Amino acid sequence: MTELYPSLAQCAIVATAFKILLFPAYKSTDFEVHRNWLAITHSLPVQEWYYEKTSEWTLDYPPFFAAFEWLLSQAAPYVDPAMLVVKNLNHDSWQTVYYQRATVIVTELVLLFALSRFVKSVPEQNRHLAHIASLSILLSPGLLIIDHIHFQYNGFLYGLLILSIVLARKQSTLLYSGITFAALLCFKHIYLYLSLAYFVYLLRAYCLDPKSVFRPQILNTIKLGICVVGIFALAFGPFASWGQLLQLKDRLFPFSRGLCHAYWAPNVWAMYSFADRALIPLAPRLGLPVNQDALTSVTRGLVGDTSFAILPEVTKEHTFALTFLFQLLPLIKLWRRPDWETFVGAVTLCGYASFLFGWHVHEKAVLLIIIPFSLIALKDRRYFSAFRPLAVAGHVSLFPLLFTAAEFPIKTVYTVFWLILFLFAFDQVAPVPERRRVFYADRFSLLYLTVAIPLIIYCSVGHQLIFGLGRYEFLPLMFISSYSALGVVGSWVGFLVVYFTA
């Protein structure tokens, strides 16, 4: 086989050099969140980790991530001991900044390893397709914006997710897939959104005979049960023995937050909120009642502050029911056809459902869809047609995370370059499908891409030129969110068609 070029390692080296140049770039409050967690886990006994509240950015990730922060903190005293003092709020010496940003790069090696395993797991005749998809993930503008500028550790976590998906490819490694995913849940509980797909697949393909549901694999079931329970016992057992599980629940699941995040994630509720805003001036003509208290609600961006002036209110129960319903649909097919590609499709659709219909969804969660979808986007051109608007919408929706002038050319040029490079490459190499493609899907993608450029120019530059600084600040955010939501929903509908007709 001809060596794949450029290799993942070569691209990782170049990307690392670029990321180091971004060390002085803008950093969000998430930087202080993780600095505070370093201080908490290093300076306090474990029993106090989930009670400490000197900072408003309290520890609210599961125990494995807390242990991960503790591990990172072990080298921190040699760089800047002040970063580990709990009372040093908003401490951001250049030593601290460089250290924390360096830890993001180092831990991203897990992603590099997982992607290399993915490429090797694919049959040789399709390995070049897997290599291109892997490069698109490794060089993702989403990971660059969220991890290396805004500041988080998603590369490390998505590396674990990809590794668990790769391990699910062979019957001999299915158990390790379940173990890896269980560990991932103990690092970050947002991956619960994908857990039903894992549950159905492991039950159907590992605990039952893949050819007959009436032939249970008792030994496999026992092994999987012991391993998964053991992982959760290792993570939560100490806190259970200290009577702290209710405290962990309150920290991990703060349901008091509102339907929409401060900046609307590009989902169904963004479109719902946009429709509510659009109906306000029409309400008197249509004879619709107006909730006066809600007129400024969805433009202020406060946590727990979402209500609607015209349309009916949305409750947690509504979002849960819709999320469960639209996750259940792909799981029915997965139960009937427990193969790897159907499993990855189900994981992707579970990500779609939770992102589009979930309660208080963050815009960063769009990577829960983009990354697993990338693994199968080159199966054929129908898959790619559904992936293309998602790639555009998902990455454009992240732009408001970086609102300072210095980062504007970085996020714009890098994202546009990535979209041109990889969408062109995907278009060139995606195989022709055996089934007929849906005509409107390609036209929708083309129209959607055409609108993206003037919208980005208006929201980034034009709005301020027209209205001036500080006026109608919610409008660009609303336009980007609603436009991106249209792309994500269109991609979801397109992929549903592909998934159920494949």
Side-chain angles (χ1 to χ4, degrees):
M1 173 186 163
T2 305
E3 184 179 354
L4 298 170
Y5 181 83
S7 70
L8 284 168
Q10 289 168 332
C11 289
I13 292 171
V14 175
T16 297
F18 179 60
K19 292 165 186 175
I20 291 173
L21 293 176
L22 295 176
F23 276 9
Y26 161 81
K27 56 187 184 300
S28 72
T29 53
D30 280 342
F31 180 86
E32 169 60 13
V33 169
H34 289 281
R35 189 223 50 90
N36 185 51
W37 294 359
L38 285 176
I40 289 173
T41 55
H42 185 86
S43 306
L44 300 177
V46 180
Q47 294 93 323
E48 298 180 22
W49 286 1
Y50 288 94
Y51 286 90
E52 164 57 38
K53 55 181 181 180
T54 301
S55 168
E56 63 179 308
W57 314 118
T58 53
L59 180 58
D60 59 5
Y61 275 23
F64 276 8
F65 198 91
F68 169 75
E69 293 279 4
W70 174 85
L71 184 63
L72 295 180
S73 74
Q74 298 310 297
Y78 302 101
V79 179
D80 181 6
M83 80 171 78
L84 300 176
V85 178
V86 175
K87 294 183 179 180
N88 278 357
L89 303 183
N90 299 312
H91 179 78
D92 62 350
S93 67
W94 69 264
Q95 297 98 323
T96 300
V97 171
Y98 282 27
Y99 177 75
Q100 287 195 235
R101 290 205 183 277
T103 61
V104 176
I105 293 175
V106 171
T107 55
E108 210 171 41
L109 289 172
V110 174
L111 176 65
L112 182 64
F113 172 74
L115 291 173
S116 66
R117 287 290 302 267
F118 168 63
V119 174
K120 292 176 182 177
S121 71
V122 175
E124 188 167 332
Q125 65 270 22
N126 293 326
R127 203 160 286 179
H128 66 294
L129 300 178
H131 182 67
I132 294 172
S134 295
L135 288 177
S136 76
I137 296 174
L138 181 68
L139 303 176
S140 164
L143 291 176
L144 181 78
I145 290 172
I146 298 173
D147 282 10
H148 301 283
I149 303 178
H150 188 270
F151 196 86
Q152 281 191 358
Y153 289 92
N154 289 286
F156 161 67
L157 296 170
Y158 280 108
L160 292 178
L161 176 64
I162 293 172
L163 185 60
S164 72
I165 291 174
V166 172
L167 292 171
R169 193 160 204 153
K170 296 181 179 178
Q171 187 72 23
S172 60
T173 54
L174 266 175
L175 175 62
Y176 304 117
S177 172
I179 293 172
T180 305
F181 185 71
L184 179 60
L185 292 178
C186 295
F187 275 100
K188 191 171 183 179
H189 48 303
I190 193 175
Y191 295 99
L192 281 169
Y193 289 144
L194 312 179
S195 59
L196 285 180
Y198 276 85
F199 175 79
V200 171
Y201 183 63
L202 290 172
L203 175 63
R204 187 67 180 83
Y206 187 72
C207 298
L208 301 174
D209 191 303
K211 297 180 180 179
S212 173
V213 298
F214 301 106
R215 292 162 59 184
Q217 306 293 307
I218 303 298
L219 183 59
N220 285 356
T221 304
I222 293 173
K223 288 191 294 184
L224 181 61
I226 290 175
C227 291
V228 171
V229 170
I231 291 289
F232 281 93
L234 182 62
F236 293 94
F239 300 94
S241 67
W242 299 324
Q244 296 185 4
L245 288 184
L246 289 178
Q247 177 66 13
L248 261 72
K249 178 189 74 67
D250 291 341
R251 284 287 181 89
L252 268 57
F253 302 99
F255 288 116
S256 60
R257 295 176 178 176
L259 172 67
C260 296
H261 188 45
Y263 157 58
W264 306 345
N267 60 11
V268 167
W269 308 126
M271 299 172 71
Y272 191 83
S273 300
F274 181 84
D276 185 73
R277 296 288 97 184
L279 284 172
I280 290 174
L282 300 176
R285 299 180 183 179
L286 300 175
L288 298 173
V290 179
N291 178 7
Q292 297 295 329
D293 295 335
L295 288 179
T296 58
S297 170
V298 291
T299 62
R300 288 187 306 198
L302 302 178
V303 172
D305 180 49
T306 302
S307 56
F308 301 100
I310 308 296
L311 298 177
E313 295 295 336
V314 178
T315 67
K316 300 178 183 69
E317 291 76 17
H318 294 148
T319 62
F320 175 82
L322 288 169
T323 300
F324 180 74
L325 171 64
F326 287 110
Q327 286 196 351
L328 185 62
L329 295 177
L331 297 179
I332 294 172
K333 179 179 179 179
L334 179 60
W335 177 265
R336 299 176 61 184
R337 189 196 294 181
D339 59 65
W340 186 79
E341 288 180 345
T342 305
F343 164 63
V344 181
V347 168
T348 302
L349 286 170
C350 282
Y352 268 115
S354 59
F355 183 80
L356 289 175
F357 300 100
W359 180 266
H360 196 77
V361 175
H362 288 235
E363 62 281 353
K364 299 182 285 289
V366 74
L367 294 183
L368 275 176
I369 315 170
I370 294 176
I371 288 182
F373 200 165
S374 299
L375 302 179
I376 55 172
L378 287 174
K379 182 180 179 183
D380 62 44
R381 297 189 68 82
R382 294 198 313 154
Y383 283 75
F384 171 59
S385 293
F387 176 78
R388 182 162 45 193
L390 171 69
V392 176
H395 291 118
V396 169
S397 72
L398 298 174
F399 279 12
L401 289 174
L402 307 180
F403 50 83
T404 54
E407 281 70 39
F408 172 74
I410 298 173
K411 69 181 182 183
T412 306
V413 173
Y414 187 90
T415 301
V416 170
F417 179 75
W418 184 94
L419 288 170
I420 292 173
L421 175 63
F422 284 103
L423 293 187
F424 176 78
F426 279 27
D427 186 61
Q428 294 299 304
V429 302
V432 176
E434 296 179 3
R435 293 177 177 268
R436 185 175 63 87
R437 297 162 66 193
V438 180
F439 178 83
Y440 77 86
D442 290 337
R443 298 300 180 267
F444 168 78
S445 296
L446 181 60
L447 177 62
Y448 190 78
L449 288 168
T450 303
V451 174
I453 297 174
L455 180 70
I456 292 171
I457 294 173
Y458 168 77
C459 293
S460 301
V461 180
H463 179 80
Q464 292 183 4
L465 294 177
I466 296 172
F467 295 103
L469 292 172
R471 297 192 64 194
Y472 306 112
E473 290 180 313
F474 70 93
L475 275 178
L477 295 176
M478 184 173 68
F479 287 151
I480 286 184
S481 181
S482 301
Y483 166 81
S484 300
L486 182 64
V488 177
V489 171
S491 170
W492 173 61
V493 172
F495 186 53
L496 278 173
V497 173
V498 173
Y499 179 81
F500 285 108
T501 58

